[in-house]
Amino acid sequence: MTYAITQTCCNDATCVAVCPVNCIHPTPEERAFGSTEMLHIDPRACIDCGACADACPVDAIFPVDSLTGGQREYAEINAAYYAGDAGPPAGAEVEGPNFHVWGEPVFERSLPSDFGPLRVAVVGTGPAGMYAAQDLLLHTAAEVTLIDRLPVAGGLVRYGVAPDHPATKKVGDTFSRFHSHPRVRMHLGIEVGRDVTAEELSAHHDAVVYAVGASTDKRLGVPGEETPGCLSATAFVAWYNAHPEAVARGVDLSAERIVVVGNGNVALDVARILVADPEALAATDIAAHALDALRASRVREVVVLGRRGPEDAAYTRSELLALKHLPGVELVVDDHDPRTAAAIDAAGPGDRAGDLRGLVRVRTGTEPCGDSARRIVLRFHSEAVEILGGEDGVRSVRVTDGGGDGTADLRAGLLLRAIGYRGLPVPGLPFDEAKGTVPHEGGRIAGMPGSYVVGWIKRGPSGGIGANRTCAAETVGTLLADAVAGTLPAPTGDAKAFRRLARQRNRRVVDARGLAAIDRAERERGRAAGRPRVKLATVEELVATARSRRLLRLAR
């Protein structure tokens, strides 16, 4: 029996580090790492030890003989990655089970024996920030100050991962063990530029690492984009994940058809949530207000627009496979353009377009499909050119049609744009407007000694959760090299002084105990509702819960 890596692979390569026979590839040292959608286990070399499954932070690794339903395809996907690798010749003598060559050990960091503890602030508690904090806490004696503008930690894991991907959310458990680490101080609800300046932050720490992500979306730039009912997927994802800044904006799901522009993983996520069985979502941590809206929803069809062909689709194979096996939902391909069918029919083994072979092909009409079945329509070689509607909302979306200069109007009550994310400037830091990132060299912010970036604000909105681990390793490596070289500016204030400053500027700061109180309260609410967790959905609720538990403890 061998193991296989499945849909929720996060690519952080924790499994690679524990494999005793080097059978998981690509490794971080290999050129293909970061360009493949997932990691793969070689079934010829796997010795069935289970070390990778134990180490995986997102429960993505299972014995092949335990795979069921759509997951069975991953046994073939893992094996196919090694199809071009001949392996050892038949009958050849092989010393031990390992026939993948180990790379030479590399020791990229060398800290002197008298290297003292650093005091490092990490701004942002999503995956990028927490991978950086984890690296510092596990490999140095650093003291880490965790800062987030929201009064709760988690970032992308809490507010960006789809609720029906609970295994992916489990990476948050890996990070949460550091929230109460004895060398960690937490200040949640503090925003750089509003409550403290970048200069003040640097004055109280040896180094500052900014992991603020890419929190806004790209625009379509077409007429009618400001029409009510034309939303960003960013806002929609925040809404169904109970982000406190999205709760006030309701989402109208009274129309039978919704158009999603873009065909990356976020586009597939929102399409899937829109047509999934609400009772299945009730077993997740989806926002209570979103669950109520989806139960009352009239949406039966979601059209996903991609301006290029199926061979160039931006989604990963694993997310597409999940749509194929979504209960009660039909996945179809719109063949309005002959290039779509041609690409699917000509696709070879492993080609992206080939994953669509066997799907029903349809022509999307002006009106949504009339039957009661729910479906997702993948429409390639088509882009939105105008949103038609008025003050009462979107009525239809004008799209390119047929591969020529023709257009078609698709009646829809909502348009979600999912064409990418973009970083925002941080007051006090340089910013590249064209790229939406902070200029840096190896993570070191240009012209600001002692200040660093990690994650999407560093490299742009590319790569999933696990990509931040190698990104953080580079940034932390640069930081430590600067510390050894003596180029970090000396702080003028200590940890206690920063704590006083933060609480003077914002009386609603949440610490690690407050965060633990929020977690307990959400889990208690979940137990009462028969769900894993019911999230607190406003800043006021989060802060009040953190403070009430603290006041209760003091009263005792």
Side-chain angles (χ1 to χ4, degrees), residues 424-445:
L424 292 174
V426 176
L429 304 187
F431 188 70
D432 187 326
E433 288 286 352
K435 297 179 179 179
T437 59
V438 171
H440 68 93
E441 182 179 348
R444 183 191 304 109
I445 297 178

Side-chain angles (χ1 to χ4, degrees), residues 462-488:
S462 64
I465 289 174
N468 291 297
R469 187 168 183 242
T470 51
C471 181
E474 179 190 48
T475 294
V476 171
T478 301
L479 186 161
L480 294 177
D482 291 348
V484 172
T487 59
L488 295 182

Side-chain angles (χ1 to χ4, degrees), residues 68-110:
T68 60
Q71 295 287 73
R72 291 195 188 99
E73 297 181 58
Y74 286 95
E76 179 182 340
I77 290 172
N78 278 249
Y81 182 78
Y82 299 94
D85 180 0
E93 291 290 332
V94 179
E95 296 182 2
N98 175 32
F99 57 83
H100 287 284
V101 178
W102 292 96
E104 292 291 330
V106 177
F107 303 96
E108 296 178 345
R109 299 177 186 171
S110 180

Side-chain angles (χ1 to χ4, degrees), residues 72 78 97 199 212 222 280-281 391 399 408 433 464 488 530 535 542:
R72 291 195 188 99
N78 278 249
E199 292 77 11
V212 295
V222 301
L281 293 175
E391 293 181 359
V399 299
E433 288 286 352
L488 295 182
K535 291 178 180 175
L542 290 163

Side-chain angles (χ1 to χ4, degrees), residues 441-518:
E441 182 179 348
R444 183 191 304 109
I445 297 178
M448 293 187 65
S451 295
Y452 304 84
V453 283
V454 68
W456 282 5
I457 196 64
K458 170 186 173 184
R459 66 182 190 273
S462 64
I465 289 174
N468 291 297
R469 187 168 183 242
T470 51
C471 181
E474 179 190 48
T475 294
V476 171
T478 301
L479 186 161
L480 294 177
D482 291 348
V484 172
T487 59
L488 295 182
T492 56
D494 59 15
K496 289 183 178 179
F498 181 74
R499 180 178 182 276
R500 287 194 299 269
L501 175 67
R503 292 190 176 275
Q504 286 170 2
R505 301 286 178 80
N506 187 336
R507 305 298 297 177
R508 304 199 300 175
V509 175
V510 174
D511 59 13
R513 290 178 177 175
L515 179 62
I518 291 170

Side-chain angles (χ1 to χ4, degrees), residues 346-420:
D351 289 348
R352 190 174 297 273
D355 293 329
L356 303 174
R357 193 175 288 120
L359 295 182
V360 173
R361 299 175 188 178
V362 301
R363 289 298 298 269
T364 305
T366 299
E367 300 294 332
C369 181
D371 59 39
S372 60
R374 291 166 290 153
R375 72 176 188 176
I376 295 174
V377 182
L378 301 179
R379 181 182 170 96
F380 299 96
H381 295 295
S382 185
E383 55 187 313
V385 295
E386 186 176 0
I387 293 96
L388 305 173
E391 293 181 359
D392 56 341
V394 173
R395 291 193 298 273
S396 61
V397 180
R398 182 160 295 161
V399 299
T400 55
D401 183 67
D405 296 328
T407 61
D409 291 350
L410 304 182
R411 186 172 296 281
L414 184 69
L415 179 139
L416 297 173
R417 56 179 183 272
I419 56 174

